[in-house]
Amino acid sequence: MVVKVYGPEYASSKRVIVTLIEKEIEFEVVDVDAFKGENKSLDYLKLQPFGLLPAIQDGDYTLFESRAIIRYYAEKYKSRGTELFGKCYLLFPFHQQWLEVEAHNFNPPLNTLVIHTIFSSKLGITPDQKVIQENEVKLGKVLDIYEERLSTNKYLAGDFFSLADLSHLQLGHYLLNGAGKEYMIRDRKHVSAWWDVISNRPSWKKVLQLFPYLN
Amino acid sequence: MVVKVYGPEYASSKRVIVCLVEKEIEFEVVDIDLFKGENKSPDYLKLQPFGLLPAIQDGDYTLYESRAIIRYYVEKYKSQGTELFGKTMEEKGKVEQWLEVEAHNFHPPLYTLVLHTVFSSKLGITPDQKVIQENEAKLGKVLDIYEERLSTSKYLAGDFFSLADLSHLPFGHYLLNGAGKGYMIRDRKHVSAWWDVISNRPSWKKVLQLFPYPT
């Protein structure tokens, strides 16, 4: 049975897709246009009652929340494709820690920045310079901590690529593509090197090729 | 070796402590006074570079982000204490899904509400009625979806108590204790019944008795 992923155009859905590619899991996609409100259709709300993207359907099994989906598949297919938890993850669970850091420290200010820079006209909101500045400062402090971490570790969880690094690709992409904030990555030597390594993985390049970001 | 938990007075730390109690894992606590800035001391920042609570120390290594910590201990001590991830991989996926819902849908508006009601004077912020109203509306919509879910399911992930339910206790507590928003729970029949079941678990009562919330 092939996994169905809803809403491939959107960043959070790409978090799931890049994971499925790393784990060599077959999938197909179903377009959902959030700007036309298709995520609020009765059918979609049966899958994802909060109306958010993505959701997946795997036979009779459905799941939503991208970071729950990637954890599920990374565990279920542990022996296939890339190991995304690290080999000794019960001894060194740092991938879980850094995945949470991504979700609660990196994602929120970046999400706000993206809304006020790239999607402001599409969402009908006036870009608020004060909000942009505040969130750039917040994100900058987080990236300073990443710079320190990555000066002694090749990847966030240690010397191995994991779900934690992967989870930064989707929204991180916008910093260098559209939000005009490349310097936030490029001015930090180790963050910059890390970004180049993770964004040049064949899995991510395949996602960008198959499912280009909306403009 | 006994697990050390930093900052037991605070809600996010209680997320870890209630989990350790459920899993029958021995622990000790180290007080950290947030309001005196002890979370920004160089010693604490070595443990948790973002200066947030909690962090834990288990032998030689440290871990932070409460939802990473609880996932780790539930996985590591699978055969001890309460089963908190369900019995199958698919049940675990549902637990992860609702744990992510708690983190990204329930927590953010509730956290803002708590800052503007319970902690406004301590933090020196003027309660903003517009912010309170907006976040109450957001949280209300989330709780409506919970009401629907809990009308057909005893607990969030299924017919079993899990990390997903547990994760709501520390901040959910404030709705009925301090924030003056108890009606948000009590006006929803199934959410109310669910809250009573989960908050009456011996583990949570023990946490409240050992580590009362600061007033």
Side-chain angles (χ1 to χ4, degrees), chain A residues 49-50 52 61-65 67-68 71-72 75-76 90-91 93-94 97-98 100 104-105 145, chain B residues 49-50 52 61-65 67 71-72 75 89-90 92-94 96-97 100-101 104-105 145:
Chain A
F50 299 88
L52 303 170
Y61 188 63
T62 64
L63 210 53
F64 52 86
E65 284 297 333
R67 296 175 193 81
R71 283 175 168 110
Y72 170 72
E75 175 144 17
K76 183 164 181 163
L90 282 187
L91 287 177
F94 304 118
Q97 174 184 285
W98 286 98
E100 287 294 302
H104 298 290
N105 295 277
I145 295 167
Chain B
F50 299 87
L52 302 170
Y61 73 84
T62 61
L63 200 58
Y64 53 86
E65 285 296 335
R67 295 176 194 82
R71 283 176 168 107
Y72 170 67
E75 186 82 47
M89 200 150 280
E90 281 63 40
K92 185 178 180 182
K94 295 290 184 180
E96 288 283 9
Q97 173 185 285
E100 288 291 304
V101 166
H104 297 290
N105 295 278
I145 295 167

Side-chain angles (χ1 to χ4, degrees), chain B residues 129-156:
Chain B
Q129 288 311 318
K130 185 164 167 275
V131 167
I132 290 172
Q133 265 167 29
E134 278 172 4
N135 284 278
E136 190 174 326
K138 275 186 196 171
L139 182 59
K141 286 183 183 157
V142 170
L143 290 174
D144 286 341
I145 295 167
Y146 279 29
E147 181 63 12
E148 177 62 39
R149 170 62 182 168
L150 294 163
S151 69
T152 54
S153 184
K154 188 174 181 196
Y155 296 98
L156 286 170

Side-chain angles (χ1 to χ4, degrees), chain A residues 34-72:
Chain A
F35 294 108
K36 283 187 187 157
E38 288 174 5
N39 55 315
K40 306 286 184 182
S41 74
L42 291 172
D43 276 342
Y44 188 72
L45 289 175
K46 277 187 202 134
L47 278 179
Q48 216 297 15
F50 299 88
L52 303 170
L53 289 161
I56 63 102
Q57 220 163 1
D58 192 342
D60 285 333
Y61 188 63
T62 64
L63 210 53
F64 52 86
E65 284 297 333
S66 62
R67 296 175 193 81
I69 297 168
I70 66 176
R71 283 175 168 110
Y72 170 72

